Amino acid sequence: MTRFLLILIIGAIAGFLATRFMRVQTSVGVTVLIGMAGASIAWFVLRFVMLLTRSGFLLVGAVLGAMALIWLWKTFLNR
């Protein structure tokens, strides 16, 4: 349970960073949700391939996951 809370907190930070890197203007709630979803996706993917060995990888993976989610959102939902 503690790890999940860590993922959510890092996800919120990752959502903020990802929306800034991708130059997307969203509300605070959407930014946090994007980051948490990206962090969750990244955590599952990194955990699956056994690359998640240190907490530092979690933030990098969370930002990359959130950026991938923003790219998918912009590509397929904003037409």
Side-chain angles (χ1 to χ4, degrees):
M1 187 65 163
T2 305
R3 183 167 285 198
F4 183 72
L5 291 174
L6 179 66
I7 290 169
L8 295 181
I9 292 168
I10 290 177
I13 295 167
F16 173 77
L17 293 173
T19 54
R20 296 309 171 254
F21 291 150
M22 299 290 289
R23 294 188 177 119
V24 174
Q25 297 295 324
T26 60
S27 67
V28 174
V30 172
T31 299
V32 171
L33 287 175
I34 287 171
M36 290 188 308
S40 299
I41 292 168
W43 183 76
F44 287 119
V45 169
L46 291 175
R47 181 84 171 152
F48 180 70
V49 295
M50 299 294 190
L51 291 177
L52 184 61
T53 58
R54 294 188 176 89
S55 294
F57 287 119
L58 183 59
L59 181 60
V60 172
V63 171
L64 293 175
M67 289 174 68
L69 190 63
I70 290 171
W71 177 79
L72 288 170
W73 178 42
K74 286 173 64 175
T75 303
F76 295 108
L77 297 178
N78 283 343
R79 289 186 171 197

